[in-house]
Amino acid sequence: MPSRSTQPDQCISQEKFQIVLETAPVNEAEVSAYCRERGLYPEQVEAWQDARMNASDDAFAESAFKTLKYRPDFPVDGFATLAEAQEWIQEFTEWYNHEHRLSVLRYVTPGQRHSGEAEETLTQRREVFEATKQRHPERWSGRI
């Protein structure tokens, strides 16, 4: 979430994504109040929402939206309140960072990558694969 000192044009993609999610289920008056609390302009948020509806230019947002909309607990009928949306996105973020293993990260979580745990996990995994390859070389067609 942008700090009160952040200018609307200085928000990064992740912040915009969170703002779009939090303001999607609310009416115009609630969006205005939300913006006043955060030093944003409703027109800026509307532009981010429009960009999301026509998004093909923000790979991070596209990937994140695809991941969250395919979650089994994603509310297909939307959120009843802003607080409900904020709670859901907080839980989604925790899951994504600490449980969801990404192929691009060689099947470790973003949290493991950022904390430095990934290297140990990948080393242990490689050792298990090497030992298994030694015992059953017929099961391996190439490199590990």
Side-chain angles (χ1 to χ4, degrees):
M1 186 55 50
S3 67
R4 292 192 179 272
S5 63
T6 301
Q7 296 299 313
D9 59 344
Q10 295 174 337
C11 289
I12 61 171
S13 292
Q14 291 171 314
E15 292 170 333
K16 290 177 185 178
F17 174 67
Q18 177 131 5
I19 291 165
V20 167
L21 281 177
E22 291 177 350
T23 58
V26 299
N27 64 37
E28 191 174 331
E30 291 171 314
V31 170
S32 293
Y34 177 95
C35 291
R36 278 192 303 278
E37 289 174 10
R38 289 159 181 81
L40 299 170
Y41 300 103
E43 297 81 12
Q44 190 74 39
V45 172
E46 183 179 339
W48 296 338
Q49 290 170 335
D50 290 344
R52 169 58 203 117
M53 296 309 287
N54 303 315
S56 61
D57 59 342
D58 191 336
F60 170 79
E62 282 300 303
S63 177
F65 269 107
K66 181 177 180 183
T67 301
L68 73 83
K69 77 179 183 181
Y70 286 107
R71 290 283 302 147
D73 61 340
F74 183 74
V76 293
D77 295 326
F79 301 98
T81 65
L82 176 60
E84 185 181 314
Q86 290 171 326
E87 181 181 344
W88 192 91
I89 199 66
Q90 182 64 38
E91 290 172 5
F92 170 80
T93 303
E94 285 294 314
W95 168 81
Y96 187 89
N97 287 333
H98 302 291
E99 295 178 46
H100 183 57
R101 287 168 174 74
L102 299 162
S103 61
V104 72
L105 298 180
R106 296 173 31 202
Y107 297 99
V108 297
T109 68
Q112 288 174 308
R113 176 67 74 193
H114 291 295
S115 71
E117 294 174 38
E119 289 308 314
E120 181 180 342
T121 299
L122 293 171
T123 299
Q124 289 173 351
R125 189 181 297 160
R126 183 172 187 79
E127 290 169 0
V128 168
F129 289 164
E130 290 285 356
T132 303
K133 186 176 181 180
Q134 291 294 326
R135 286 193 306 273
H136 302 284
E138 70 278 4
R139 295 181 183 174
W140 298 84
S141 61
R143 296 181 344 187
I144 293 178

